[in-house]
Amino acid sequence: MTDDGHKPAAGRLGKVYLVGAGPGDPGLITVRGRELLQLADLVLYDGLVNPQLLLHVHSRTERTCRVQSDTGKHLPQDEINARLIAAAKQGLTVVRLKGGDPFIFGRGTEEAAALAAEGIPFEVVPGITAATGAAVYAGISLTHRDFASAVAFVTGHESPGKSRLSLDYKALARFPGTLVFYMGLGHLEEIVTALIREGRSRDTPAAVVSRATTPAQQVVTAKLEELPNAVSRARLPAPSLVVIGECVTVREAINWFEQLPLFGKRIGVTRPSHQFLPIAEQIVRLGGEAIPMPMIEIGPPDDWEPVDSAIDRLTDYDWVIFTSQNGVEGFLGRVWEQGRDARCFGGMRLAAIGEQTARSLERFGLKADLIPADANGEALAAAISLFVEGKRVVWPKANRGRDVLPKILAERGATVDEVVVYRNQDLASLPSQTQQRLVEGNIDWIAMSSPSIARNLTRLLPRESLEKIGTTIRLAAISPLTAEAAQEVGLPVAATASESTWDAMLAAIAEAP
Ligand code: SAH
């Protein structure tokens, strides 16, 4: 084993991929980039990279940050180069993940040169650079038939007039098109003064786009001359990009991103960690930010024996009832592990509590015969009760939960076997980053996906956060039952889904006044 805990591939050189992560929205990485993240043994990422991208990384991957977030200090470039080279020499597949495009103001070229000098195989995957990402998400078109036939990407890092390396502001002022300054926020006043001094009109439309392509995106527009004041009044945080040119005016008509239904909303997702990603992606597509807030963890049952024996006797049953995705995955997962497949269900009938559960069944090649209109135990029991008299029913379920279902079915003359196929366990605390955000007041909504999660909030949320519920933090419930459970523990609910799905819960959040 190496220092990294990875097995070296004896004698074989690994490979380094310099990958552009895009400007912030995790959906803006390339297909190739995402593919490589899934393959990587080691990912070294810089501070601009959206952490949600790292959820695609396989667990054996070590993650290293170029900007040490606690100190804000940069690892020296030499150390990063050395790290990449050493890892490749150990035979590892390394992804060096960099914000935006690796070769635009990103020092990716230096990394590539260091690799080339050592004879390490490497590839470079371009990314969407901040300028195009920010412009598009701010509704600004960097080139435009009427306004701009050229665009220049400029570093604003150099203080105009003060440095030996300083840019030719005379040429920039005369540039016949849009100017985009990276790293320009700190020198905004000087940049603007230099451009106006060299002849750019003080009335030129201009904008600063902060945290572009993320739910925290903010845009300030002003005439060039007024931009520094407008920006300092708005206290825009980094990273920010300065866009100067007539094309800024199109924003008024085509600013689409900030109109998305969940734009700017920071939503705590109370699902177990392994189910976080699909919902997080849905939230991001709607313009919001998803914050992991797992409260329970799903694990294998303490004992597989009852499950195995139910699988052996499967054809004795008339119905199998699935009341959760975890139930499907627990039971069918075991069937597959045993080397069997959907055929062992023979002619029996299948019931699923809702569309999502039915979709999980489909992934195993099975179609539900019955899905009630409402996704809850009562509705399922009511729908199935017509068919179960004298029948044998098996219910793969969690180690705990409500048991209305077997009671109602037994009353209707069915024999119900309950088999625990997964363990549902309370987590002792929230992830530390989530706790931090709660303390800082950086969460707008908590989306509760079950009654037990509602009850768990009082256990897991810091007291100051509980006190904010109903004012700065609002609760959304996936169903009336979940809303009731929250209200029973004294927590007011601001939005309830019209049907028991995440889609409907997110829609309820979007519509809440
Ligand atoms: N290689 C990167 C740029 C790195 S330089 C790329 O291609 O985008 C860092 C600068 O990029 C920041 O100072 C800022 O000006 C800009 N930047 C990066 N991400 C940004 C974002 N989400 N919003 C606004 N500006 C951003």
Side-chain angles (χ1 to χ4, degrees), residues 168-193:
D168 180 349
Y169 271 81
K170 203 182 258 344
L172 285 177
R174 290 201 196 120
F175 182 75
T178 310
L179 296 174
V180 183
F181 285 88
Y182 285 69
M183 302 168 283
L185 203 59
H187 294 302
L188 187 59
E189 181 98 52
E190 297 161 75
I191 293 170
V192 166
T193 311

Side-chain angles (χ1 to χ4, degrees), residues 22-25 46 48 98-107 127-131 134 181-185 209-214 238-242:
D25 179 340
D46 76 21
L48 284 174
K98 299 172 74 77
D101 181 281
F103 283 3
I104 302 263
F105 303 127
R107 304 190 70 174
I128 293 180
T129 189
F181 285 88
Y182 285 69
M183 302 168 283
L185 203 59
V209 187
S210 160
R211 301 200 172 162
T213 78
T214 77
S240 284
L241 208 69
V242 186

Side-chain angles (χ1 to χ4, degrees), residues 251-317:
R251 169 172 157 83
E252 270 173 42
I254 62 169
N255 167 26
W256 59 275
F257 177 60
E258 292 158 34
Q259 319 296 327
L260 289 178
L262 294 180
F263 175 71
K265 298 203 159 75
R266 299 160 299 182
I267 303 170
V269 174
T270 56
R271 290 193 118 190
S273 321
H274 73 285
Q275 293 174 339
F276 173 72
L277 194 57
I279 300 300
E281 284 177 345
Q282 213 172 326
I283 291 175
V284 170
R285 293 280 65 82
L286 296 168
E289 184 188 3
I291 298 150
M293 214 179 239
M295 303 200 161
I296 54 170
E297 190 183 354
I298 304 298
D302 292 332
D303 185 5
W304 280 113
E305 203 283 318
V307 186
D308 292 343
S309 98
I311 295 173
D312 286 339
R313 289 179 287 111
L314 206 50
T315 45
D316 292 352
Y317 293 104

Side-chain angles (χ1 to χ4, degrees), residues 332-395:
L332 269 304
R334 189 68 179 172
V335 167
W336 278 71
E337 253 174 56
Q338 292 184 349
R340 308 191 202 192
D341 62 24
R343 284 169 295 183
C344 68
F345 285 80
M348 65 196 315
R349 330 258 350 243
L350 306 177
I353 198 161
E355 288 300 335
Q356 255 156 10
T357 307
R359 271 202 291 274
S360 320
L361 275 173
E362 281 168 17
R363 283 197 283 276
F364 289 94
L366 292 166
K367 235 185 164 95
D369 298 292
L370 182 143
I371 309 168
D374 290 328
N376 62 54
E378 285 82 356
L380 178 61
I384 199 178
S385 61
L386 303 171
F387 309 105
V388 293
E389 193 174 345
K391 303 285 189 208
R392 300 204 55 179
V393 178
V394 59
W395 178 30

